[in-house]
Amino acid sequence: MADQPLEDWLASHPVKKPGMFRDGYARGPVNDLLDKVVERLRANRQFADLIKKVDFPTAPRAEAYDRQAVDDLFDNLKWGSDPRR
């Protein structure tokens, strides 16, 4: 998996959905931010300003991503860790 460029992995990697009877972060805003990060990575531009302080609206389970999975993903990106591991 580490052989795949990070931007390709981010563009194709599904984000975990929340567990039963739980809400999470709305998919639309998360997807929008991930698209912007991928775009900047592909253009070889920095993206730290995009993820400095993320704040996503909540949504019901059917329209959401798991909060911890999203937080972990953006924390890894923010601190320069590889989220593919």
Side-chain angles (χ1 to χ4, degrees):
M1 207 41 100
D3 293 333
Q4 185 180 25
L6 179 58
E7 57 272 20
D8 293 343
W9 184 85
L10 286 171
S12 66
H13 181 72
V15 180
K16 182 180 171 185
K17 295 180 180 165
M20 286 297 242
F21 309 113
R22 301 184 81 177
D23 64 356
Y25 292 134
R27 288 184 196 163
V30 173
N31 289 338
D32 291 344
L33 184 54
L34 279 173
D35 288 346
K36 290 177 184 174
V37 169
V38 167
E39 182 180 308
R40 289 206 184 168
L41 280 168
R42 287 187 173 145
N44 202 26
R45 294 176 49 215
Q46 67 87 21
F47 58 87
D49 60 311
L50 295 175
I51 60 173
K52 185 180 261 185
K53 185 175 179 187
V54 294
D55 185 26
F56 299 111
T58 60
R61 180 181 189 271
E63 304 164 10
Y65 290 132
D66 181 79
R67 290 172 194 245
Q68 191 62 53
V70 171
D71 288 342
D72 288 348
L73 175 64
F74 283 104
D75 281 348
N76 276 308
L77 292 171
K78 184 187 312 181
W79 298 110
S81 300
D82 192 337
R84 298 173 285 188
R85 295 186 186 138

